[in-house]
Structures are given as structure tokens and as C-alpha cells.
Amino acid sequence: MTLEGTDAALTALYLPNRPVDPEGAETPLLARGRAELLDYLAGERRVFDLPLAPQGTPFQLAVWRALADIPYGEIVTYGALAHRLGRPKASRAVGQANHRNPLPIFLPCHRVVGAKGALTGYAGGLELKAWLLRLEGIV
């Protein structure tokens, strides 16, 4: 995994199936992000305390803010997330926004599942999504 950011905020997390060569030196914020991510992956952290600055459309940003409100260890469906956003017919658009989430794990799109609880779509692959959900005690 590779983190990207500015001095002020994290802007991207690249999952293992999408490797990126990091540019520049590790900043204090990137080091903090790495430490928090490793703590989470070790099961020692449930909430992140980092400034995030994802770039996207107003709808994508609204979806990503809603992802941040899904508590550790809980899941919601794409349809339920669309309802929370006041757009009950936008479950596919929610799925597309999740697919474009530049900060997976920090903005936990892995906690969003299909209508019947099926593990559908994850930029990091369904194996990683299932692993993250197991880490959180969900499946």
C-alpha cells in the first residue's frame, strides 16, 4: 500500500493491486498515516485521526463523507447509503463513487455491501474486502 498527501492532508491510499511508486520523502503526516494504518491492520485501531482531502465531484464527496460515518464493525448496503444521502434511487451511483474512493480504509468503502449482504465490488479485490470485514468482526 502507498499513501499520498500534502503537508496538510492525506489525498490517496493505493491498495496492493494498484501499486504506485511514491514520489518524494515521507512527511510527518505520511508517517502518521502509515502508523495509523498499520495499527488498524493489526487490529489495534478502530478510528483514524488524520486530515483527509479526497478530490472528487460534489456527489462523490458526499458519499465519501457518509462512508466516514459508518462505524467500525458495521456494514450498510449501497441502497441504505443512497437513502442516507437523500437519493434513494442512486445506489449504483453510490457504488461508482465507492469505486473511485481515493482513500479506501480511511473512508471505509469496504463496509458497504450488496442488497442481501453480498460482498460486491471493491477496488482492492473481494478477498481484501472480506479480510477487512473479518478484521472488524463482521464476516
Side-chain angles (χ1 to χ4, degrees):
M1 295 185 193
T2 303
L3 276 172
E4 199 171 84
T6 66
D7 287 337
L10 298 180
T11 57
L13 170 63
Y14 299 98
L15 298 174
N17 67 341
R18 188 175 165 210
V20 171
D21 289 328
E23 295 180 19
E26 184 176 69
T27 66
L29 179 59
L30 291 174
R32 199 170 119 217
R34 179 175 39 83
E36 288 196 17
L37 182 60
L38 290 173
D39 286 348
Y40 166 81
L41 294 171
E44 299 169 0
R45 174 176 287 279
R46 292 178 172 225
V47 176
F48 295 104
D49 183 32
L50 298 160
L52 306 177
Q55 300 296 306
T57 67
F59 179 76
Q60 289 171 334
L61 292 171
V63 170
W64 300 336
R65 279 190 300 273
L67 293 174
D69 292 335
I70 304 170
Y72 181 97
E74 294 184 21
I75 56 174
V76 300
T77 65
Y78 293 98
L81 198 54
H83 275 279
R84 288 183 188 181
L85 294 167
R87 306 267 309 267
K89 295 183 180 186
S91 59
R92 285 189 174 191
V94 166
Q96 287 301 313
N98 277 0
H99 181 70
R100 290 182 174 83
N101 177 3
L103 288 158
I105 302 176
F106 296 108
L107 298 172
C109 52
H110 62 277
R111 296 179 189 152
V112 184
V113 297
K116 296 181 181 177
L119 299 186
T120 59
Y122 188 62
L126 291 181
E127 285 183 30
L128 179 56
K129 183 173 186 167
W131 188 88
L132 293 169
L133 294 175
R134 281 193 306 274
L135 174 70
E136 296 187 16
I138 297 170
V139 293

